[in-house]
Amino acid sequence: MLRRNSYIGLVIVILLVLFPVLPWLIMKPLELRFGSGAAVATSIGQLSALLGLAMFSISLVLIARLPFLEKYFGGLDRIWQAHRHLGMFGFLLMLVHPLALAVRLVPVSVAEAALFFVPSFADMARTFGIVALLLMMGIIGATLFAHWRYQILLKTHRFLGLAFMLGVLHAFLIPSDISGNTVLAAYCGMLSFAGITAYLYRTVFARVVPKHSYTIKAVKKLHSTLTEVTLRPTEKPLTFKPGQFVFVSFADPALSKETHPFSISSAPHEQDLRLTIKALGDWTAAVGDLGVGSKALIEGPFGGFTSEQGVTNKEVWIAGGIGITPFLSRARALVEGKDGQKMIDLYYITNTRDELVFERELSELAMNFKNFRLFPHVSKEQGYLSTNTIRQQSGQLTDRDVYVCGPAGMMKSIITQCKEAGVASSQIHAEEFAML
């Protein structure tokens, strides 16, 4: 299910992570590295530190929302997934690092091994490492187990950069293979610098991040849980592809100045930018209270959930609930001739019939474009949508691209069914965005 070119970014990441192992192996004979139990524990500790430092450095670069990286990963959602995995594995390796080094001391003295984890002003290099690890453990523990609001978790994540900087100080100040090898020192220094720079770019120097200025033109309640915000550019408008998303913050007393990602529901040819927002929390529930004329800052566009990912001229779009928004943009772009030659079947899934708020507009588009067909599906009346139902309407799926966007459970089910039906992974495209 990799998007086009997404493997390039993954290959580059793997090579960057594994590169420091080579000079580390060359530094000393293997019999010295693994000739005894203490040597094995030391080597495991050193390798875990090198790999963990590389992974964490790269994870900070990936979270910086650098647009040029998207083409190598297939979209920001794929970058975010890579960031999460690298960050988690990097943390685990950094956890292994002191444990392995402490195990090395156990045959000498259990007390000395225990004291290895006690901070000391007499050994600040080691203390930096201990504090960095404790800080990471607290932040990641809060992410996994604390039921805090999303924005609080997001703010705590910013301290990961501080923990990383303390870890870098530890790595370069303590006597080690990094300090004893020019190649390792230069490489780890380069990766660390890239990670710290990316972190500072997103936090301390966030104001320099390019953004587009808009004002709110209209706020329309489409449903009890759905609001459409129409934005007018105050300068050069955003250029985007149908299916992409943006990060937006509003300068309005009704909302805090948090930044949230939303798919663009308008088409590129429209003068105004439209965002269709579902009330999923306190912040999104208050979007309906926004005032006309308030300012908005837009960052983007991002995402690879576009027609360019397709490999056939037949497409099935499966939208669950608010997952309709990227498909709205793509459907509305049909008047420009976008995807006009493709055969497109849109399955618009909601729990209840009154949630099919875009059914009339999409039906009119289907009447005007013979290659575009709409299939509304109300789950409480018709049950969950299955690929068997889709094949009854659209025929076999093996010669089609399948685009899926909606709740995670729905997407997982549809993707599994598509693979069981013989659809190639290269023909399955899903917007799988997760912020943390």
Side-chain angles (χ1 to χ4, degrees), residues 19-80:
F19 175 81
V21 176
L22 182 60
W24 181 86
L25 287 171
I26 295 173
M27 282 181 68
K28 295 179 183 178
L30 290 181
E31 54 268 25
L32 293 180
R33 294 288 193 191
F34 303 100
S36 66
V40 170
T42 300
S43 295
I44 291 173
Q46 291 172 343
L47 278 174
S48 60
L50 286 173
L51 296 174
L53 178 68
M55 287 184 179
F56 223 87
S57 298
I58 297 168
S59 74
L60 288 175
V61 173
L62 295 182
I63 206 174
R65 294 184 215 155
L66 302 174
F68 75 90
L69 290 177
E70 287 200 88
K71 64 181 178 181
Y72 301 111
F73 287 85
L76 188 63
D77 58 326
R78 294 291 191 269
I79 292 176
W80 225 273

Side-chain angles (χ1 to χ4, degrees), residues 349-424:
I349 310 166
T350 59
N351 286 322
T352 60
R353 188 162 296 278
D354 67 305
E355 292 176 295
L356 292 169
V357 293
F358 299 104
E359 181 180 14
R360 177 178 294 180
E361 178 187 356
L362 292 169
S363 296
E364 290 176 357
L365 284 170
M367 292 175 60
N368 293 324
F369 297 93
K370 62 180 181 179
N371 290 341
F372 177 69
R373 298 193 298 173
L374 173 68
F375 298 98
H377 186 93
V378 180
S379 297
K380 286 190 174 180
E381 299 176 7
Q382 301 167 267
Y384 291 120
L385 181 70
S386 68
T387 52
N388 289 332
T389 301
I390 295 171
R391 282 183 289 184
Q392 291 173 10
Q393 304 286 351
S394 301
Q396 290 300 316
L397 298 176
T398 52
D399 63 344
R400 297 173 182 268
D401 281 278
V402 179
Y403 291 83
V404 189
C405 187
M410 182 215 79
M411 290 199 297
K412 182 178 180 181
S413 174
I414 292 294
I415 290 169
T416 299
Q417 291 180 61
C418 284
K419 290 180 177 179
E420 291 173 351
V423 183

Side-chain angles (χ1 to χ4, degrees), residues 19-283:
F19 175 81
V21 176
L22 182 60
W24 181 86
L25 287 171
I26 295 173
M27 282 181 68
K28 295 179 183 178
L30 290 181
E31 54 268 25
L32 293 180
R33 294 288 193 191
F34 303 100
S36 66
V40 170
T42 300
S43 295
I44 291 173
Q46 291 172 343
L47 278 174
S48 60
L50 286 173
L51 296 174
L53 178 68
M55 287 184 179
F56 223 87
S57 298
I58 297 168
S59 74
L60 288 175
V61 173
L62 295 182
I63 206 174
R65 294 184 215 155
L66 302 174
F68 75 90
L69 290 177
E70 287 200 88
K71 64 181 178 181
Y72 301 111
F73 287 85
L76 188 63
D77 58 326
R78 294 291 191 269
I79 292 176
W80 225 273
Q81 290 173 43
H83 153 75
R84 293 176 69 208
H85 289 115
L86 281 170
M88 184 57 68
F89 283 119
F91 165 71
L92 292 175
L93 286 169
M94 289 181 179
L95 188 59
V96 168
H97 166 65
L99 290 174
L101 295 181
V103 166
R104 173 197 59 177
L105 299 173
V106 170
V108 178
S109 168
V110 174
E112 189 174 344
L115 288 173
F116 186 78
F117 296 97
V118 179
S120 169
F121 286 109
D123 189 356
M124 288 305 297
R126 182 169 56 86
T127 298
F128 284 142
I130 294 170
V131 174
L133 186 62
L134 291 174
L135 193 54
M136 286 185 183
M137 289 173 65
I139 295 168
I140 292 176
T143 301
L144 295 176
F145 305 110
H147 300 289
W148 293 345
R149 289 177 55 207
Y150 160 75
Q151 285 300 323
I152 295 177
L153 287 174
L154 190 62
K155 288 178 181 178
T156 61
H157 256 59
R158 291 175 181 171
F159 286 99
L160 282 174
L162 175 60
F164 176 72
M165 286 191 279
L166 290 173
V168 170
L169 282 174
H170 163 76
F172 282 89
L173 291 177
I174 203 164
S176 66
D177 284 343
I178 293 177
S179 59
N181 183 282
T182 304
V183 174
L184 273 180
Y187 186 75
C188 291
M190 177 193 70
L191 284 184
S192 300
F193 177 78
I196 292 171
T197 301
Y199 165 72
L200 293 175
Y201 172 72
R202 270 290 154 194
T203 54
V204 179
F205 304 111
R207 291 187 178 182
V208 305
V209 177
K211 295 182 176 68
H212 296 264
S213 178
Y214 279 75
T215 58
I216 298 177
K217 179 183 176 181
V219 179
K220 183 180 180 182
K221 199 78 170 177
L222 303 176
H223 183 265
S224 59
T225 61
L226 212 59
T227 302
E228 181 181 77
V229 180
T230 303
L231 302 164
R232 173 148 291 180
T234 59
E235 48 188 34
K236 185 179 179 181
L238 181 76
T239 300
F240 65 94
K241 298 172 184 176
Q244 291 190 299
F245 64 91
V246 294
F247 286 83
V248 60
S249 61
F250 297 103
D252 187 285
L255 292 174
S256 61
K257 293 184 179 179
E258 298 173 3
T259 300
H260 287 255
F262 298 109
S263 292
I264 302 168
S265 53
S266 52
H269 70 273
E270 298 180 41
Q271 180 183 10
D272 299 322
L273 191 72
R274 284 190 276 176
L275 304 175
T276 306
I277 300 170
K278 184 172 183 177
L280 297 172
D282 294 340
W283 193 92

